[in-house]
Amino acid sequence: MAKFNSQAEAEAAGVYISKVKSFVKREGRLTKAQGRALEEFWPTKGIEYQNEPLDLAAVFGRDAPVVVEIGFGMGKSLVTMAHEAPELNFIGIEVHRPGVGACLADAGELGVENLRVMEHDAVEVLKNMIPDASLHRLQLFFPDPWHKKRHHKRRIVQAEFAELVRTKLAVGGTFHMATDWEPYAEHMAEVMNAAEGYINTAAEGDYVPRPDYRPTTKFEVRGQKLGHGVWDLIYERTA
């Protein structure tokens, strides 16, 4: 097989090279409620993947600051955030279909209109669909920490990803990460402190108190009762 110097070069030659994935695709089984929510709300709240930038104002029918969340799980905290911040537009990206269905069900029940969801690889969505310098905030809450050392390369927070996020944030926009795995928090800080064009918003050290806009999840509360910590990191794009 011929050798290529980059993914783009390989793709230009029509050769597919597998990429390291930061997630595991888990289809799971849809509940009836999740299936109904997908049928009812996907036409108005779902965004299909396409290989071209979105017109964000057209997607929401208005011009407002946009927040993107990667890996929203079952979507409860994302729906809560959208419901409590009607002045913002939210896009949630998740590869787990039952989570997408659950998120749509909750959004429909609350009548949330400022939320759209996608079921696709978030890195591809950021690269190909989110316009440069368009985001008010990018959220990455409790991503898979890939505990084993040999799997650390699968962690989504790496130098290349930090640079991708920077290009999508408006100057003054923020990249907000949260994790309950301290070694991953340390890894996030190491990557982000070395990334150009960002400033850590922490008053001291690397971590910030949980902002009011990020709801605590049941999982998080349970962990705190067991003495587990949670680390929030917020970096602002400066250039």
Side-chain angles (χ1 to χ4, degrees), residues 68-72 91-95 118 120-122 125-126:
V68 167
E69 180 166 336
I70 292 175
F72 57 73
I91 297 175
I93 309 170
E94 175 57 59
V95 294
M118 293 195 66
H120 199 78
D121 174 8
V125 172
L126 284 179

Side-chain angles (χ1 to χ4, degrees), residues 197-233:
Y198 284 103
I199 187 170
N200 191 332
T201 65
E204 56 182 63
D206 291 319
Y207 311 118
V208 299
R210 177 185 62 83
D212 290 340
Y213 66 75
R214 182 177 77 75
T216 53
T217 64
K218 288 181 182 178
F219 170 80
E220 188 177 348
V221 171
R222 188 164 65 241
Q224 287 172 338
K225 287 179 179 176
L226 294 171
H228 300 168
V230 172
W231 292 266
D232 283 81
L233 304 88

Side-chain angles (χ1 to χ4, degrees), residues 145-156:
W146 294 102
H147 302 91
K148 294 179 181 177
K149 191 168 185 178
R150 70 175 183 270
H151 290 155
H152 286 184
K153 64 186 177 184
R154 292 182 177 271
R155 289 175 170 175
I156 190 169

Side-chain angles (χ1 to χ4, degrees), residues 10-190:
E11 289 172 354
V15 177
Y16 174 79
I17 296 177
S18 64
K19 291 171 278 190
V20 173
K21 291 285 189 184
S22 63
F23 62 90
V24 175
K25 179 76 170 171
R26 296 170 295 119
E27 276 300 334
R29 183 172 292 224
L30 288 170
T31 65
K32 288 182 179 178
Q34 291 164 0
R36 281 197 304 270
L38 281 164
E39 285 183 17
E40 184 176 354
F41 299 116
W42 183 265
T44 54
K45 298 189 192 304
I47 301 175
E48 297 287 352
Y49 177 76
Q50 58 189 37
N51 197 16
E52 59 185 49
L54 287 169
D55 180 337
L56 294 171
V59 165
F60 289 94
R62 66 173 187 170
D63 209 352
V66 177
V67 176
V68 167
E69 180 166 336
I70 292 175
F72 57 73
M74 300 306 278
K76 285 212 173 288
S77 65
L78 176 59
V79 171
T80 298
M81 279 185 279
H83 186 248
E84 293 181 352
E87 72 280 6
L88 302 176
N89 291 336
F90 289 80
I91 297 175
I93 309 170
E94 175 57 59
V95 294
H96 186 47
R97 177 160 290 185
V100 175
C103 182
L104 287 172
D106 286 345
E109 189 175 330
L110 281 174
V112 172
E113 297 298 333
N114 59 329
L115 173 63
R116 302 291 182 269
V117 297
M118 293 195 66
E119 183 189 353
H120 199 78
D121 174 8
V123 173
E124 289 189 1
V125 172
L126 284 179
K127 283 182 177 177
N128 301 322
M129 293 186 68
I130 302 300
D132 287 351
S134 66
L135 300 183
H136 171 65
R137 184 168 71 237
L138 188 131
Q139 301 177 169
L140 179 68
F141 299 153
F142 307 103
D144 192 329
W146 294 102
H147 302 91
K148 294 179 181 177
K149 191 168 185 178
R150 70 175 183 270
H151 290 155
H152 286 184
K153 64 186 177 184
R154 292 182 177 271
R155 289 175 170 175
I156 190 169
V157 180
Q158 307 287 356
E160 184 180 1
F161 181 71
E163 173 57 18
L164 173 62
V165 171
R166 189 190 69 82
T167 65
K168 302 305 173 179
L169 290 172
V171 173
T174 54
F175 180 19
H176 181 183
M177 295 157 278
T179 180
D180 59 349
W181 184 250
E182 189 171 13
Y184 197 6
E186 292 167 352
H187 168 86
M188 289 172 169
E190 182 180 350

